[in-house]
């Protein structure tokens, strides 16, 4: 039986790599090309996903949400110069998540979140992992729209497409 939150994180990692792979195929200038959209540039969108992924990792590993949020605020505006830099940062963070999953973390453990935007709530660690994947999906949709607005096709990165990629790799 598969661990659904971990599988969703694997999908999140795959989908991030997939969309960054598409951006790598385009002229390097596309990363910083300004556009009137959800984010001013693709780089800003990638920085935001990375910052939030990092914040949630800190929460999962014991940092309070308010503190984690404060620690990661600078990542949200830290714009990198190449897709390779983003890909490397995401790969390193994904490895940290994988190590945490393998450390036999109890995903059904509850923690008290003190969310600066929504208040206090008890939640399971598994719900946080699902939030990471869901947040990434939302913003990869923004990136796909931004690519189209910039005159470029995006790439299929739906969860259902991930199922088929996994099946092809296991054959």
């Amino acid at each position: 039986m598969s661990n659904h939150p971990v599988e969703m994180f694997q999908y999140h990692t795959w989908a991030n790599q997939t969309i960054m792979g598409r951006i790598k195929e385009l002229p390097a200038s596309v990363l910083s090309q300004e556009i009137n959209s959800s984010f001013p540039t693709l780089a800003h969108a990638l920085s935001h996903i990375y910052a939030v992924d990092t914040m949630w990792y800190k929460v999962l590993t014991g940092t309070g949400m308010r503190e984690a949020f404060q620690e990661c605020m600078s990542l949200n505006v830290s714009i990198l110069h190449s897709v390779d830099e983003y890909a490397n940062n995401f790969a390193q963070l994904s490895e940290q998540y994988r190590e945490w999953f393998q450390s036999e973390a109890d995903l059904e453990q509850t923690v008290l979140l003190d969310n600066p935007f929504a208040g206090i709530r008890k939640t399971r660690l598994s719900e946080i992992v699902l939030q990471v994947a869901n947040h990434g999906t939302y913003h990869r949709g923004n990136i796909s729209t931004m690519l189209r607005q910039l005159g470029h096709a995006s790439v299929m990165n739906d969860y259902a497409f991930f199922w088929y990629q996994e099946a092809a790799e296991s054959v």
Side-chain angles (χ1 to χ4, degrees):
M1 180 172 206
S2 75
N3 184 326
H4 188 66
V6 173
E7 182 178 310
M8 289 303 295
F9 185 80
Q10 291 167 340
Y11 156 69
H12 174 65
T13 297
W14 170 85
N16 284 340
Q17 292 169 346
T18 299
I19 200 103
M20 285 186 283
R22 173 62 184 132
I23 296 168
K24 282 183 192 181
E25 296 171 351
L26 302 172
S29 62
V30 167
L31 186 64
S32 59
Q33 189 173 348
E34 295 217 3
I35 184 169
N36 185 17
S37 192
S38 303
F39 294 94
T41 67
L42 295 171
H44 283 87
L46 291 171
S47 288
H48 175 73
I49 296 169
Y50 179 75
V52 172
D53 283 7
T54 301
M55 186 217 46
W56 284 118
Y57 175 75
K58 288 179 175 292
V59 171
L60 287 167
T61 57
T63 303
M65 185 169 183
R66 285 183 181 271
E67 182 182 350
F69 178 77
Q70 288 297 319
E71 289 176 14
C72 295
M73 279 182 58
S74 64
L75 295 174
N76 200 39
V77 293
S78 178
I79 305 305
L80 304 179
H81 301 291
S82 74
V83 181
D84 287 331
E85 288 179 273
Y86 282 104
N88 289 337
N89 282 0
F90 275 99
Q92 288 174 7
L93 183 57
S94 291
E95 185 56 33
Q96 290 176 295
Y97 269 91
R98 278 189 209 96
E99 288 172 6
W100 181 77
F101 290 134
Q102 292 173 351
S103 73
E104 299 181 33
D106 178 7
L107 293 177
E108 294 311 305
Q109 175 188 342
T110 60
V111 294
L112 192 63
L113 288 181
D114 186 1
N115 186 320
F117 304 105
I120 297 174
R121 177 186 194 276
K122 278 180 109 174
T123 189
R124 292 185 312 273
L125 298 179
S126 60
E127 292 177 294
I128 294 172
V129 174
L130 295 173
Q131 165 57 25
V132 170
N134 191 53
H135 178 262
T137 299
Y138 176 74
H139 288 305
R140 283 187 301 275
N142 295 145
I143 291 170
S144 289
T145 298
M146 293 168 73
L147 284 170
R148 288 184 192 99
Q149 290 172 319
L150 291 168
H152 305 285
S154 187
V155 63
M156 177 78 74
N157 63 80
D158 288 355
Y159 181 50
F161 195 64
F162 170 71
W163 299 337
Y164 293 96
Q165 298 300 309
E166 272 195 325
E169 289 172 7
S170 67
V171 172

